[in-house]
Amino acid sequence: MTGGASPSWPLALEDVPRWDLDHEVVVVGQGVAGGAAAIEAARAGADTVVLERMTRGGGATALSTGITYFGGGTPIQRACGFDDTPEDMLAYVRLAAGEQADPERVRLYCEGSLEHFEWFRALGVEFNESFLDDKVTHPLTDACLTFSGNEDAWPFSEQVRPAPRGHKPAREGEAGGYLMEAVLQGTAAAGATPVTECRAERLVQASDRRVVGVVARRERERIFVKARRGVVLATGGFVMNRAMLAKHAPPLLRCNYPLGTAGDDGSGIRMGTGAGGEAVNMSEGLVLNAYYPPSSHLKGVLVDALGRRFINEDAYLGRTSDAILHKADGRAYLIVDDAIYGRTQAFHKLVAVEESFEALEKALRMPSGVLVRTLEHYNAGVGRGEDVLFHKALRYLRPLQDPPFGALDCSTDNSVFGVFTLGGLAVRATGEVLDADGQAVSGLFAAGRCTAGLCREGRSYASGLSIGDASFFGRLAGRQAARAASWE
Amino acid sequence: MTGGASPSWPLALEDVPRWDLDHEVVVVGQGVAGGAAAIEAARAGADTVVLERMTRGGGATALSTGITYFGGGTPIQRACGFDDTPEDMLAYVRLAAGEQADPERVRLYCEGSLEHFEWFRALGVEFNESFLDDKVTHPLTDACLTFSGNEDAWPFSEQVRPAPRGHKPAREGEAGGYLMEAVLQGTAAAGATPVTECRAERLVQASDRRVVGVVARRERERIFVKARRGVVLATGGFVMNRAMLAKHAPPLLRCNYPLGTAGDDGSGIRMGTGAGGEAVNMSEGLVLNAYYPPSSHLKGVLVDALGRRFINEDAYLGRTSDAILHKADGRAYLIVDDAIYGRTQAFHKLVAVEESFEALEKALRMPSGVLVRTLEHYNAGVGRGEDVLFHKALRYLRPLQDPPFGALDCSTDNSVFGVFTLGGLAVRATGEVLDADGQAVSGLFAAGRCTAGLCREGRSYASGLSIGDASFFGRLAGRQAARAASWE
């Protein structure tokens, strides 16, 4: 064994000095994807171990609101009076997942959504029968159901009957930790063995390319973990790895608030590609610049550095933020008046307050007349009850007319831009990692943000699609690994 | 040996049944990168073979105008009265190569440009001492020197003293074939052996990851080619592979005119990643929608589907086309009047001709008043000698005032969008292929469009940077492979 002790260089089977652990299924990472995989692998009868680099599992999900995207008529949707159907959900998730999404994956996800919801409830996760009728980015009450994407925003609202599908567990504040506690307990209950503070470093690969184990570091010791049936990579994305962002998704470098844990360093993606897997969709990410709450800010006007609009302000913030980054080159302002301005989440600075559009335009150093024209044109349309450029919903159409007028800076270099990655290993819906020619790398499975999963585009994303994707397809990957033939 | 006879699955050395050919350096692909690599490897004393899948070498370069990006004071620049310096060239290429470019690569390219120009002349490529003082996309005279990028367009023109650096060989029409003939003859003269109609299928790799050969198909026969010192991949990009575009660069799928040969199918990238190399920058490409000549069209106004401008019309077409694709969502029109409208290259349809701005706006089904306002605002600025939004150069500022007014459709689905890819294997400037952790894959080198090379972004690209990149760094890769230690 010469050099190369890095994730992207698998260890040859013949160079393994000993096996310190010996299991049928080895899951790498105990976020929601790895947790779901371990539960299902163990329930399928496989002797399963989960290697977690932190002192405790949880992953990025444990840091989140815990909103998960379910639909097709969940008990919560019905109790709250929403008549969602699997067909409507499928039609919407097709749009939300993006043009490059795997249709099979989208179909399975929507068909299985009610069962998947009950799977979480059976783990002990509770959901209240309540609807949060407000546009918030980060709901902190224990209400469950929200419109968590673009369902009720143009152009989606014209294409599919809107229904709220974001389901937050019944806890105030961040509920992701609560959700993950249930998953961690479920993992132990299913009989899978968690090994914490154990960081996977490399895969072990036989000469026929089959993945047969993992090299890991546990405290100061290097251990060799045999995987008789399969390894499931569930290591998270790569938003914490700036070198990887530069190589694959440079615009995301402009976002200053990575959403994830230190584990989201792309190591699983590198392990997978080193073993022959392909990394795809690597340029995509979800970008989040939250200029609301208060939801009255959706009645404001978002403009670029020249003073021109470029998106409907009431779209999901993944969509508006993507537009700020790509269409407005990362420089934008939300223009508000005194009537709609409210207390923000302190993610933005009020960089100008003036008594007239003209003065505001001047204060923002915009080309003469452009912002004034934008706001006059917007107000005139609103007077007729329409947004001719971007079709913002009627309930957010209100003229800006109460001075003073203010500008909230929504630029990448002067406000908070959350970000995580949406690219990773190419996998079948059932979790097999694929090479660049579409052949499965035997013995290797993956789920969650280390894969190119359900949703491929930030601009169409809805909150809850990542936890939904990772948990749903983590389960499938765990089952598939458990039923793979043993190599020894 | 089980299954997996695909580029992304290297053959294990132990499974090689025999060696049909045995060389020190094996170059895969005989476009300008492979040709340059073979010449330098052979000149360095290495026994060198070039495998070319077509009946004759040439690659995408042979289909091109042959414009190559040289500067820093070439004999042609001096003869034409342009006072370029290596420092100005470096400052400009830094911008043109993009933020993610390798600074070392940019520096080497600019420092070596005069020598590289003479290298081509020594191969017999002639360049006339003449400057083409017109904005054309596809020069068909035998004039040499052109402004082939954004040198004289905003914002580049404000940052670096402009100089023309596109050098076309002294042939009318397409001159790329002429340039490649010189390279092919130079390859033979240097003593490298070309083997045509021989398609590389897979790499051969030893258990320590060293690349030691190539499996190829020659007519109906599979042959095994030993590479004692190194393999140089010079197989071109992946623009002909729609599945790869979907996985890595979906927006490029909207472009209907791939620029390349059938060989640009990404096979070299897949061979390289299968052997442990990393593919980076994969989402980037050069997109070309040529609404000029005639250069009078640069006096027109490019608008999106809503009737709003989004770029200075006199930028290099790689920049304007990138903006059409990404900022205007692929739907744009060039608005002209009777005075500037001229015979086009038939890449565009004149989809509306009207006597007034109002009628044109209506004919194009744009929101009421927006296009009219855009054109009135533009004309007013032009009257003051300025383009306040996008800073088009003074020489192209002229009011649209002579009816009828026309709209050339510059949309992706109704005009010609040329495209090639700018992503590929991560390589050092000297050609070593790198894995995802930055370690070299021993015995493997690459150059040209199968690598992430000199220029990383279509929006800053200049014509001639690809032939320049591929030939310059092909030479370095050939030399480096020739001096690698022999494995046997």
Side-chain angles (χ1 to χ4, degrees), chain B residues 87-126:
Chain B
E87 293 70 31
D88 281 349
M89 182 185 185
L90 181 64
Y92 183 75
V93 175
R94 268 194 196 125
L95 299 178
E99 279 184 36
Q100 300 310 322
D102 172 11
E104 173 72 356
R105 184 178 295 262
V106 170
R107 187 183 62 76
L108 287 170
Y109 184 77
C110 295
E111 283 180 6
S113 189
L114 296 178
E115 184 276 336
H116 193 48
F117 176 75
E118 295 303 338
W119 183 86
F120 271 105
R121 291 226 286 202
L123 287 177
V125 182
E126 296 169 359

Side-chain angles (χ1 to χ4, degrees), chain A residues 6 8 270 327 329 437 439, chain B residues 6 8 270 327 437 439:
Chain A
S6 62
S8 60
R270 284 176 283 144
K327 295 206 187 294
D329 293 322
D437 294 293
Q439 296 178 96
Chain B
S6 62
S8 60
R270 285 175 283 143
K327 296 207 187 292
D437 294 293
Q439 295 179 97

Side-chain angles (χ1 to χ4, degrees), chain A residues 153-328:
Chain A
W154 186 87
F156 302 85
S157 55
E158 291 190 347
Q159 296 173 60
V160 184
R161 191 171 58 136
R165 300 190 186 92
H167 287 64
K168 187 188 171 190
R171 285 296 178 277
E172 294 191 349
E174 311 279 12
Y178 161 72
L179 182 144
M180 277 309 302
E181 278 307 311
V183 171
L184 297 182
Q185 285 173 28
T187 306
T193 311
V195 180
T196 55
E197 296 183 75
C198 181
R199 177 177 181 154
E201 291 186 331
R202 304 167 71 184
L203 295 174
V204 180
Q205 196 167 31
S207 62
D208 66 354
R209 205 167 78 156
R210 173 153 186 165
V211 172
V212 295
V214 173
V215 184
R217 183 167 287 274
R218 189 170 55 183
E219 294 172 18
R220 291 190 191 162
E221 173 194 26
R222 179 163 291 151
I223 63 170
F224 300 86
V225 186
K226 185 188 284 188
R228 291 171 179 270
R229 296 188 187 275
V231 171
V232 182
L233 295 171
T235 51
F238 63 98
V239 76
M240 295 300 176
N241 186 324
R242 293 186 65 82
M244 282 183 76
L245 289 177
K247 290 192 279 192
H248 302 291
L252 304 187
L253 285 171
R254 302 180 67 178
C255 303
N256 48 22
Y257 196 85
L259 298 166
T261 76
D264 290 300
D265 63 356
S267 62
I269 297 171
R270 284 176 283 144
M271 282 191 270
T273 54
E278 185 183 25
V280 303
N281 208 50
M282 292 289 279
S283 59
E284 294 288 333
L286 178 68
V287 177
L288 299 170
N289 179 260
Y291 49 76
Y292 59 92
S295 56
S296 60
H297 282 188
L298 300 179
K299 298 174 183 165
V301 174
L302 193 62
V303 297
D304 64 17
L306 295 173
R308 309 184 317 161
R309 290 177 75 211
F310 52 92
I311 191 80
N312 42 327
E313 294 81 1
D314 64 338
Y316 173 63
L317 73 161
R319 187 171 186 79
T320 51
S321 308
D322 179 89
I324 293 173
L325 197 58
H326 294 289
K327 295 206 187 294

Side-chain angles (χ1 to χ4, degrees), chain A residues 2-10 12 14-15 100 207-209 244-248 250-251 253 270 273-274 276-284 306 308-310 325-329 367-370 373 377 388-390 426 435-440 456 459, chain B residues 2-10 12 14-15 100 207-209 244-248 250-251 253 270 273-274 276-284 306 308-310 325-329 367-370 373 377 388-390 426 435-440 456 459:
Chain A
T2 55
S6 62
S8 60
W9 193 331
E14 66 213 57
D15 292 329
Q100 300 310 322
S207 62
D208 66 354
R209 205 167 78 156
M244 282 183 76
L245 289 177
K247 290 192 279 192
H248 302 291
L253 285 171
R270 284 176 283 144
T273 54
E278 185 183 25
V280 303
N281 208 50
M282 292 289 279
S283 59
E284 294 288 333
L306 295 173
R308 309 184 317 161
R309 290 177 75 211
F310 52 92
L325 197 58
H326 294 289
K327 295 206 187 294
D329 293 322
S368 173
V370 180
R373 165 70 187 176
H377 185 258
V388 292
L389 292 182
F390 299 107
D435 73 16
D437 294 293
Q439 296 178 96
R456 295 298 190 87
R459 66 188 171 280
Chain B
T2 55
S6 62
S8 60
W9 193 330
E14 65 213 57
D15 291 329
Q100 300 310 322
S207 62
D208 66 355
R209 205 167 79 157
M244 281 183 76
L245 289 177
K247 289 191 281 192
H248 302 291
L253 285 171
R270 285 175 283 143
T273 54
E278 185 184 25
V280 303
N281 208 51
M282 292 289 279
S283 59
E284 293 289 333
L306 296 173
R308 310 184 315 161
R309 290 177 75 211
F310 51 93
L325 197 60
H326 294 290
K327 296 207 187 292
D329 292 323
S368 173
V370 180
R373 165 70 187 176
H377 185 258
V388 292
L389 292 182
F390 298 108
D435 72 16
D437 294 293
Q439 295 179 97
R456 296 297 190 86
R459 66 188 171 278

Side-chain angles (χ1 to χ4, degrees), chain A residues 420-432:
Chain A
F420 63 82
T421 56
L422 292 171
L425 296 167
V427 286
R428 284 196 196 127
T430 40
E432 294 92 338

Side-chain angles (χ1 to χ4, degrees), chain A residues 207-209 435 437 439, chain B residues 1-17 19 26 28 51 53 198-205 211-218 222-227 231 233 235 266-275 444:
Chain A
S207 62
D208 66 354
R209 205 167 78 156
D435 73 16
D437 294 293
Q439 296 178 96
Chain B
M1 172 182 151
T2 55
S6 62
S8 60
W9 193 330
L11 182 67
L13 174 57
E14 65 213 57
D15 291 329
V16 172
W19 292 113
V26 178
V28 182
L51 311 182
R53 61 194 270 179
C198 182
R199 178 177 178 153
E201 292 185 330
R202 304 167 71 183
L203 295 174
V204 181
Q205 196 167 30
V211 172
V212 295
V214 174
V215 184
R217 184 166 286 274
R218 190 170 55 182
R222 179 162 291 149
I223 64 170
F224 301 86
V225 185
K226 186 188 283 188
V231 171
L233 295 171
T235 51
S267 61
I269 297 171
R270 285 175 283 143
M271 282 190 271
T273 54
L444 189 61

